[in-house]
Amino acid sequence: MSAKAVREYDGKLLLAHWLLRTPIPATSVSSTGSKFVQPATRLAQIGIDTTFLNTDESVFAQHVQSLLDNLEQTHPWVLTNKLVAKPDQLIKRRGKSGLLLLNADWAQVRAWISEHAGKDVAVDGVAGVLKTFLVEPFVPHPANTEYYICVNSDRDGDNILFTHEGGIEVGDVDAKALRLQVKVNTAFPTPNAIKDALLTHVPATKHDVLIDFITRLYAVYVDLHFTYLEINPLVVLDPTPEHAAQVYYLDLAAKVDQTAEFEAGPKWAFARAPQNIGLAPGKIQNIDAGPPLEFPAPFGRELTKEEAYIQELDSKTGASLKLTILNKDGRIWTMVAGGGASVVYSDAIAALGQAHELANYGEYSGAPTETQTYEYAKTILDLMTRSPVPHPLGKVLIIGGGIANFTNVASTFKGIVRALTEFKQPLIVHKVRIFVRRGGPNYQEGLRSMRQLGETLGVEIQVFGPETHITEIVPLALTGKSSGLDQPGSVTSNTPFTSGNLLQDQLLGGNTPLTGSRASSPPPLEDRMTFFQEQNAESTESGRDENTPFTVHTRSFIYGMQPRAVQGMLDFDFICKREVPSVAAMVYPFGGAHVQKFYWGTKETLLPVFTSLDEAIAKFPDVDTVVNFASCRSVYDSTRDIFKYSKQIRTISIIAEGVPERRARQLLWEAKERNVLVIGPATVGGIKPGCFKIGNTGGMMDNIVSSKLYRPGSVAYVSKSGGMSNELNNIISRTTDGVYEGVAIGGDRYPGSTFIDHLLRYEKDPACKMLVLLGEVGGVEEYRVCEAVKNGTIRKPVIAWCIGTCAKMFATEVQFGHAGALAQSDLETADAKNRALRTAGVIVPETFEKLPLILSQTYQALVKKGVITVRTEPETPKIPIDYSWAQELGLVRKPASFVSTICDDRGQELLYAGMRISDVFKEEIGIGGVLSLLWFKRRLPDYACKFIEMVLMLTADHGPAVSGAHNTIVTARAGKDLVSSLCAGLLTIGDRFGGALDGAAEQFSSAYDKSLSPREFVNSMRKQNKLILGIGHKIKSRTNPDLRVEIIKNYAKAHFPSTPVLDYALAVETITTSKKDNLILNVDGAIGVLFVDLLRHSGAFTREEAEEYIRIGTLNGLFVLGRSIGFIGHFLDQKRLKQGLYRHPWDDISYLTPGNEMGRTVASLDSINKKAA
């Protein structure tokens, strides 16, 4: 829901700041000069932390008193004024409920708040805890100065309601208030219009100030994207000789359009910034000049910790994640994909009399990631299994959903499977039974993973696909038996062989197993491309009919870079045997003009991409449709730009969700003026089988083929939900001869076109024989259909159902999946609409589950009457499919060019040797742990990881004089970059510098393994004239030991299970140091032998694995990694010091050139021989 209620405190702050700052048109400025004067803004809010209610009463009381004490310091005016105090929690009729304190001093207010804070109260049957209070100055006034004003919005415009009798006994406002309607896209109301329409019962002395106030109030209403603003009472004090009439807004209720935050959010924040309301600036850095506007839950419906967590997840993603806890002790839990689908599942549960057991309402949609569905599922499973006492009847989890348009079902199910696996034991304890039904892209793999999980999880899991009616799993789960209404496919004994994968069967034929023999050689290069001639605009113009906007000749522009949607449209065109693609070009303002490659069947074709509509329109005069994928932030401007070409562009589909309601209304009315059909916003689009498909409508090709959308049927439908439109495709194809046309108008409150707009088109189209309407709770557009059927405008059979019948069974207000799916009155409930439709003569089933049966009966009756002629079913087309998608579905295979066993970046979360990156940080394994995963493909013990980190620290640097550091410094001073300088240093590492680790490990371990005594080993190396690697140091000696060696030696002795090779090396050191004092075990040798001990005795490796890691250079890798730290340090040091190009001094070079030498020289052999002669 985009219209969200705000606290009275915030609403008044918005008015106080912007009433005199929001510009108003010159035509609306009063000519008398009498102006509204903003009263001083004095508002104090007290927010109680209810967590203190779980402590001792005295602790909570102390918390409240502390808040009130602080208020005296920040708002000293409370000490000197008569005051009003009231709860500020979206409570209606506070005065009648005894929740209003008037004309009180501060001591009385303190006592009143202290008494009410944290108390449970019931208002109009809804119970809640009082925790937020508003304190403001009391305005004494006579009763006859109280007025009422309200501004609200509907499809046609904004309505200003005013009555001269306000206050607590205002009565039926709709019946008594005067009204002024400001229609969409019309001029701002003039002073005379306001006076004549609203102020007929107001004394003339107050006209000027009220006209000015109402004008400014409406300007703020528009500019700040309010959707509802009510002030009662609005006090207008009589003028006096000293003062003009004064206006005070005492009680206020308001809603703003949350989707307009990107437009109005900075203004919402600025008006409430601490420095603008007389408070000290806050320490929190906000994205705007003040705190973001809060949208509190309705009274009695406070967000739980889990609901708040899902709400936070939802705010951070382009997908949709919703959760409302209805009954935490309920035994029926749902995890449903899709806004419309989530409602029909709740309806089905309520229809079986189980609404009281429904624990939650929620939905996930919009292609959430694996991680997001994991977090969503984990939250629900935690709530479901939290009770310490299992329910005696066990619990039911319904994982349902419609047929997705573009969400990868297998990917989202991975997150759910992961969560279910983690909760295996709690699910068993609570005797949970799980029922799954889903369809859409890659649903086969998703359902397979669920079935596979059922074999090991230890709880019952029943899995169904799109061949089962969407809610059929509900009676199976709750009653243990089928409803008997599901229409199974006509499977006979002659059913051909199927692979179990619908897409594979349609690709290769149901009776053809997948074998390599199907593969064919690629076509010659000249046959791989397809080119299309430009269409004649005159021929397409002559055949255009407003009632049939989509034909086999319809061509479109795609606004936005949407290659996936374009390819889906071209694939649909191809299987429908269109002569030319339905997409003529793409328009993408953010890149240069170019061409983009797509597939036409198995061949390729090129589509142009333009940077402006001007270019596209000039190039393709035959295009009359635009599919606008612009974001909610830019779609208003881009659509208005498209309207400029309304003589050619007759249909626009707006895909974006979250379009501000005011902008949506402006677009729909401009479209009406220009006679342009707008579908959306917040729509997946529509489809005309065999002719044209908008964007991602209909889902993947396998669903389009299974629903027979490649050829026209006789049934046209209109729906709000995109996911449920796919279900209608499925249901209609199974119960009738298929879909003639289908449109999803979008779930927002103000769609560009309505149910009646499309039903009237269908009525006038002779090829359409049956009409289907899938409405929902919220809005009143279904009543226009009732009127059209009653007055005979629509004569064809209409089958309708409005989802959301469960709403009446919920104790608190529930916002369903779509923004418009909330009843604002009894007239907008699903039950009221279904009754009205049935009374009007529309065919309305008893429940949604009986919709397929009603469809089948109506269709058969029309066939029997001869209205519909059953046609021969054409051959099922083969589906062109991209290689990447076929590979994901497991239909093809190819040898990999590379093999990697240490890291996987393909999923939603990076894996190090199978360990999720989040777990790497959660378990704090450190850099040593990461190295163990990536180098050794396993978790090493903590002491081993610590040792690895010690090695990296010890080898990080050894001063600027060593060859590697020297090379790095020289390269850095030559002006090279970091990578070049680092590589220059690393290239010096070898047997002479830093490469002794592997050699030392190999020499010492080999001698140890051969059972050579230390003396025999030393003697054998001397006889071979070989140095013992890892022995010897230029500076350090037995009397001046290398502390680095002592550190790791002592650590190993304290933590390693065994150190035999180290002990052997130390024995060798005893022999070598007896010959020369500096022939000690150096750091390279110590690291080498200790790593052999670690690999052999940690228990993590076999002996063969340990030897292999030594052989392939693992130990030198440690030196390279550690020393890279130092090399980078030297590079940064030289750059920081701004050292110039290095040139080696001459006197440090021995020149061997003949002749006059300079500096240090060495005589050549030739000159010596000549002198000797």
Side-chain angles (χ1 to χ4, degrees):
M1 180 179 173
S2 55
K4 292 292 184 70
V6 297
R7 298 190 191 279
E8 182 177 358
Y9 173 77
D10 289 321
K12 286 185 173 179
L13 288 178
L14 293 180
L15 293 190
H17 187 86
W18 292 111
L19 275 172
L20 296 179
R21 291 178 172 89
T22 301
I24 58 177
T27 56
S28 297
V29 177
S30 176
S31 59
T32 64
S34 178
K35 302 296 182 184
F36 159 71
V37 177
Q38 172 69 47
T41 304
R42 290 180 173 177
L43 298 166
Q45 187 181 51
I46 301 98
I48 310 295
D49 186 351
T50 55
T51 58
F52 284 101
L53 288 171
N54 301 323
T55 61
D56 187 81
E57 288 186 12
S58 61
V59 175
F60 178 75
Q62 184 180 0
H63 165 65
V64 174
Q65 295 308 312
S66 174
L67 292 174
L68 296 172
D69 291 342
N70 183 63
L71 197 72
E72 293 179 5
Q73 304 299 317
T74 57
H75 300 76
W77 50 265
V78 300
L79 301 172
T80 57
N81 285 270
K82 287 293 186 177
L83 304 169
V84 175
K86 51 191 170 182
D88 192 5
Q89 295 176 233
L90 312 184
I91 301 174
K92 298 177 181 178
R93 292 178 285 278
R94 288 170 293 192
K96 289 187 176 182
S97 301
L99 298 176
L100 185 63
L101 179 66
L102 299 173
N103 197 20
D105 59 27
W106 176 237
Q108 292 171 309
V109 169
R110 283 190 69 123
W112 189 84
I113 292 177
S114 300
E115 177 188 351
H116 287 81
K119 296 297 188 294
D120 285 303
V121 298
V123 180
D124 292 339
V126 177
V129 177
L130 297 180
K131 63 177 186 177
T132 305
F133 296 87
L134 175 63
V135 177
E136 57 188 334
F138 174 71
V139 179
H141 60 275
N144 64 357
T145 61
E146 292 185 342
Y147 299 88
Y148 171 94
I149 188 168
C150 175
V151 190
N152 58 42
S153 300
D154 57 28
R155 186 177 181 86
D156 295 328
D158 300 324
N159 304 295
I160 304 175
L161 283 69
F162 185 89
T163 176
H164 63 291
E165 296 174 342
I168 194 171
E169 301 295 341
V170 66
D172 186 354
V173 173
D174 289 333
K176 66 191 298 187
L178 300 174
R179 298 168 183 264
L180 172 62
Q181 184 182 56
V182 184
K183 292 192 174 182
V184 177
N185 294 342
T186 59
F188 204 86
T190 64
N192 285 336
I194 293 174
K195 183 179 73 172
D196 294 343
L198 302 177
L199 306 183
T200 56
H201 303 298
V202 176
T205 54
K206 297 182 180 180
H207 280 188
D208 289 337
V209 70
L210 268 174
I211 289 171
D212 195 38
F213 174 77
I214 293 172
T215 300
R216 296 182 182 281
L217 184 72
Y218 181 66
V220 172
Y221 181 90
V222 172
D223 192 52
L224 268 60
H225 286 267
F226 281 90
T227 61
Y228 181 85
L229 180 55
E230 180 187 64
I231 300 174
N232 181 38
L234 175 71
V235 171
V236 185
L237 297 180
D238 296 327
T240 66
E242 294 80 17
H243 300 287
Q246 293 178 284
V247 177
Y248 297 90
Y249 34 93
L250 299 192
D251 273 6
L252 178 146
K255 294 181 180 180
V256 299
D257 186 354
Q258 186 183 19
T259 61
E261 188 169 11
F262 68 89
E263 281 193 45
K267 294 182 179 179
W268 297 343
F270 191 79
R272 299 162 43 258
Q275 62 271 24
N276 291 333
I277 58 176
L279 300 178
K283 297 180 179 180
I284 299 175
Q285 178 62 57
N286 298 300
I287 61 173
D288 292 312
L293 190 59
E294 293 183 6
F295 302 105
F299 178 68
R301 185 66 197 86
E302 301 300 329
L303 291 181
T304 66
K305 180 181 69 174
E306 293 77 16
E307 289 171 331
Y309 175 63
I310 296 300
Q311 188 178 82
E312 182 183 7
L313 283 181
D314 180 65
S315 67
K316 296 177 180 178
T317 174
S320 175
L321 301 168
K322 301 289 188 295
L323 176 64
T324 300
I325 307 302
L326 302 173
N327 174 14
K328 63 181 178 60
D329 299 318
R331 59 180 293 264
I332 305 169
W333 293 77
T334 64
M335 201 183 303
V336 179
S342 62
V343 180
V344 299
Y345 276 99
S346 298
D347 284 351
I349 293 168
L352 290 174
Q354 297 292 312
H356 64 288
E357 289 285 8
L358 182 57
N360 71 305
Y361 169 79
E363 60 103 5
Y364 65 94
S365 58
T369 64
E370 176 188 336
T371 302
Q372 289 163 351
T373 51
Y374 163 72
E375 293 294 335
Y376 184 79
K378 185 176 70 171
T379 302
I380 291 177
L381 294 176
D382 176 49
L383 287 165
M384 185 181 190
T385 59
R386 185 175 294 175
S387 173
V389 180
H391 196 287
L393 299 178
K395 293 188 176 181
V396 170
L397 175 61
I398 294 175
I399 303 176
I403 301 172
N405 285 291
F406 51 84
T407 299
N408 187 327
V409 174
S411 176
T412 56
F413 271 20
K414 283 181 183 178
I416 297 174
V417 167
R418 179 179 161 197
L420 288 170
T421 304
E422 287 187 12
F423 279 81
K424 176 178 179 177
Q425 288 306 317
L427 291 171
I428 294 172
V429 169
H430 286 266
K431 296 179 287 186
V432 176
R433 296 158 57 236
I434 301 173
F435 292 79
V436 181
R437 191 275 185 184
R438 194 71 163 104
N442 209 4
Y443 80 90
Q444 301 93 338
E445 177 62 22
L447 298 185
R448 185 198 63 77
S449 66
M450 281 292 183
R451 291 191 185 99
Q452 195 173 48
L453 177 67
E455 297 172 1
T456 59
L457 191 62
V459 300
E460 177 187 353
I461 301 182
Q462 294 193 34
V463 182
F464 303 87
E467 72 285 349
T468 302
H469 184 66
I470 180 171
T471 56
E472 183 64 17
I473 61 174
V474 174
L476 284 173
L478 304 186
T479 68
K481 58 184 179 180
S482 168
S483 66
L485 298 172
D486 196 26
Q487 300 292 323
S490 55
V491 180
T492 68
S493 59
N494 296 322
T495 301
F497 167 83
T498 63
S499 66
N501 187 313
L502 179 62
L503 188 55
Q504 174 181 318
D505 297 337
Q506 293 165 342
L507 255 176
L508 305 176
N511 56 0
T512 308
L514 185 61
T515 65
S517 63
R518 299 281 300 186
S520 58
S521 302
L525 184 60
E526 60 272 15
D527 294 336
R528 296 184 189 177
M529 294 295 295
T530 299
F531 300 95
F532 299 94
Q533 294 183 349
E534 295 179 16
Q535 297 297 292
N536 187 335
E538 294 181 1
S539 63
T540 57
E541 178 69 29
S542 62
R544 183 176 292 148
D545 181 354
E546 289 185 0
N547 296 318
T548 54
F550 309 123
T551 70
V552 292
H553 302 295
T554 300
R555 303 199 75 201
S556 64
F557 294 135
I558 304 300
Y559 194 98
M561 187 55 65
Q562 293 288 327
R564 179 177 176 180
V566 171
Q567 188 59 67
M569 293 175 70
L570 296 188
D571 288 342
F572 177 80
D573 298 339
F574 182 78
I575 67 171
C576 292
K577 299 181 173 58
R578 279 185 57 131
E579 295 180 359
V580 294
S582 60
V583 180
M586 290 190 287
V587 178
Y588 187 60
F590 305 104
H594 62 283
V595 294
Q596 188 119 344
K597 187 169 64 174
F598 292 95
Y599 287 102
W600 180 257
T602 56
K603 296 184 179 182
E604 293 176 321
T605 189
L606 300 175
L607 289 183
V609 181
F610 299 103
T611 57
S612 70
L613 273 169
D614 284 331
E615 301 170 276
I617 290 285
K619 183 68 175 177
F620 295 98
D622 60 310
V623 169
D624 64 357
T625 300
V626 174
V627 183
N628 191 350
F629 279 96
S631 72
C632 61
R633 293 172 177 265
S634 61
V635 74
Y636 174 73
D637 292 329
S638 61
T639 303
R640 293 206 66 200
D641 192 32
I642 296 169
F643 281 151
K644 297 175 184 176
Y645 308 96
S646 58
K647 290 183 178 180
Q648 177 177 329
I649 303 300
R650 310 302 301 155
T651 305
I652 303 172
S653 183
I654 301 175
I655 307 301
E657 295 188 25
V659 179
E661 290 185 356
R662 182 165 297 278
R663 301 301 178 218
R665 289 188 300 155
Q666 290 170 330
L667 290 177
L668 74 88
W669 276 94
E670 184 169 354
K672 189 173 183 180
E673 291 167 2
R674 295 177 179 270
N675 196 27
V676 173
L677 173 64
V678 171
I679 300 173
T683 180
V684 72
I687 193 165
K688 182 78 172 285
C691 296
F692 185 81
K693 136 181 153 74
I694 298 173
N696 295 307
T697 307
M700 299 293 290
M701 285 299 109
D702 58 338
N703 182 64
I704 285 173
V705 170
S706 66
S707 296
K708 301 177 182 177
L709 299 175
Y710 51 85
R711 51 79 173 154
S714 302
V715 183
Y717 70 81
V718 60
S719 164
K720 278 197 171 186
S721 167
M724 289 305 295
S725 68
N726 257 356
E727 284 300 327
L728 288 177
N729 292 332
N730 184 33
I731 294 169
I732 291 170
S733 70
R734 292 174 180 274
T735 55
T736 71
D737 64 349
V739 175
Y740 175 73
E741 183 180 334
V743 171
I745 62 173
D748 283 358
R749 193 156 185 85
Y750 303 119
S753 53
T754 62
F755 295 136
I756 192 65
D757 295 329
H758 295 283
L759 292 176
L760 290 177
R761 288 197 301 106
Y762 301 155
E763 173 68 24
K764 296 174 184 177
D765 192 329
C768 174
K769 308 299 182 183
M770 285 172 59
L771 314 183
V772 175
L773 163 64
L774 186 64
E776 64 179 32
V777 59
V780 294
E781 291 301 322
E782 290 86 350
Y783 291 100
R784 297 182 63 192
V785 179
C786 295
E787 290 301 316
V789 173
K790 284 195 291 187
N791 64 28
T793 305
I794 295 178
R795 297 179 179 274
K796 294 176 181 178
V798 181
I799 299 170
W801 178 256
C802 295
I803 64 176
T805 54
C806 61
K808 62 181 180 294
M809 302 183 185
F810 297 150
T812 59
E813 179 183 281
V814 175
Q815 170 62 52
F816 293 114
H818 296 146
L822 180 67
Q824 307 287 353
S825 65
D826 290 341
L827 201 65
E828 297 188 19
T829 63
D831 282 329
K833 293 180 184 181
N834 284 329
R835 284 195 299 271
L837 287 164
R838 189 178 289 115
T839 302
V842 175
I843 304 170
V844 180
E846 294 177 12
T847 63
F848 177 74
E849 288 66 41
K850 292 186 177 181
L851 180 63
L853 179 62
I854 295 295
L855 278 168
S856 179
Q857 292 173 347
T858 306
Y859 170 75
Q860 294 299 335
L862 293 176
V863 171
K864 189 174 182 180
K865 292 178 180 177
V867 175
I868 295 177
T869 302
V870 179
R871 288 164 287 191
T872 304
E873 190 67 35
E875 180 184 1
T876 302
K878 296 294 187 289
I879 305 173
I881 183 172
D882 290 344
Y883 178 84
S884 59
W885 185 245
Q887 191 174 33
E888 184 168 349
L889 295 178
L891 302 182
V892 296
R893 61 189 181 190
K894 79 176 195 58
S897 301
F898 291 94
V899 177
S900 175
T901 62
I902 64 170
C903 187
D904 191 344
D905 61 339
R906 296 170 300 173
Q908 299 299 329
E909 194 171 353
L910 182 65
L911 302 179
Y912 286 167
M915 187 176 189
R916 299 177 184 275
I917 191 66
S918 58
D919 293 334
V920 167
F921 288 93
K922 192 182 301 181
E923 299 184 23
E924 299 181 346
I925 67 174
I927 191 65
V930 170
L931 190 144
S932 73
L933 292 173
L934 295 180
W935 287 21
F936 306 115
K937 300 195 301 181
R938 68 204 72 190
R939 283 283 302 275
L940 295 182
D942 289 343
Y943 71 83
C945 295
K946 175 65 176 176
F947 177 73
I948 291 172
E949 294 176 0
M950 292 174 67
V951 170
L952 296 179
M953 290 188 281
L954 291 173
T955 59
D957 195 45
H958 202 208
V962 297
S963 59
H966 180 83
N967 266 20
T968 299
I969 291 171
V970 171
T971 308
R973 291 179 61 171
K976 301 293 285 184
D977 60 278
L978 185 146
V979 174
S980 301
S981 303
L982 176 61
C983 289
L986 292 176
L987 287 173
T988 64
I989 297 176
D991 290 341
R992 293 190 175 184
F993 169 61
L997 277 74
D998 280 333
E1002 193 279 328
Q1003 286 182 357
F1004 281 111
S1005 62
S1006 176
Y1008 175 81
D1009 293 340
K1010 292 176 181 177
S1011 299
L1012 295 177
S1013 69
R1015 190 174 300 280
E1016 288 173 335
F1017 170 56
V1018 173
N1019 291 338
S1020 67
M1021 295 299 289
R1022 185 176 60 211
K1023 289 178 182 178
Q1024 298 176 57
N1025 293 320
K1026 290 184 178 180
L1027 296 174
I1028 301 176
L1029 300 178
I1031 291 291
H1033 199 285
K1034 188 173 182 179
I1035 301 173
K1036 300 297 181 180
S1037 64
R1038 182 169 50 183
T1039 57
N1040 179 27
D1042 189 339
L1043 289 181
R1044 297 179 299 171
V1045 175
E1046 297 301 310
I1047 290 171
I1048 58 174
K1049 184 174 67 176
N1050 293 336
Y1051 179 83
K1053 287 292 186 181
H1055 297 90
F1056 282 23
S1058 180
T1059 57
V1061 182
L1062 172 64
D1063 296 338
Y1064 186 84
L1066 292 175
V1068 171
E1069 180 190 51
T1070 303
I1071 299 169
T1072 55
T1073 53
S1074 66
K1075 299 178 182 294
K1076 195 172 183 180
D1077 200 38
N1078 68 338
L1079 293 180
I1080 61 173
L1081 181 67
N1082 59 32
V1083 70
D1084 291 352
I1087 292 172
V1089 297
L1090 282 172
F1091 228 90
V1092 173
D1093 285 334
L1094 177 65
L1095 293 173
R1096 290 184 175 183
H1097 303 290
S1098 65
F1101 305 91
T1102 64
R1103 184 62 175 263
E1104 292 75 16
E1105 288 176 325
E1107 299 304 321
E1108 182 180 33
Y1109 277 117
I1110 296 172
R1111 187 175 65 255
I1112 62 179
T1114 306
L1115 301 183
N1116 274 348
L1118 282 174
F1119 182 83
V1120 169
L1121 181 60
R1123 191 52 58 93
S1124 293
I1125 300 171
F1127 290 170
I1128 292 172
H1130 286 297
F1131 169 84
L1132 298 175
D1133 188 46
Q1134 296 301 307
K1135 294 295 185 181
R1136 185 170 52 246
L1137 295 172
K1138 297 180 174 56
Q1139 295 294 288
L1141 178 68
Y1142 175 78
R1143 182 181 177 88
H1144 204 73
W1146 290 349
D1147 60 358
D1148 195 34
I1149 301 173
S1150 295
Y1151 288 93
L1152 301 179
T1153 58
N1156 295 326
E1157 291 92 359
M1158 297 177 62
R1160 186 183 302 165
T1161 61
V1162 175
S1164 69
L1165 184 60
D1166 289 343
S1167 63
I1168 293 173
N1169 289 336
K1170 287 180 180 178
K1171 291 180 180 179

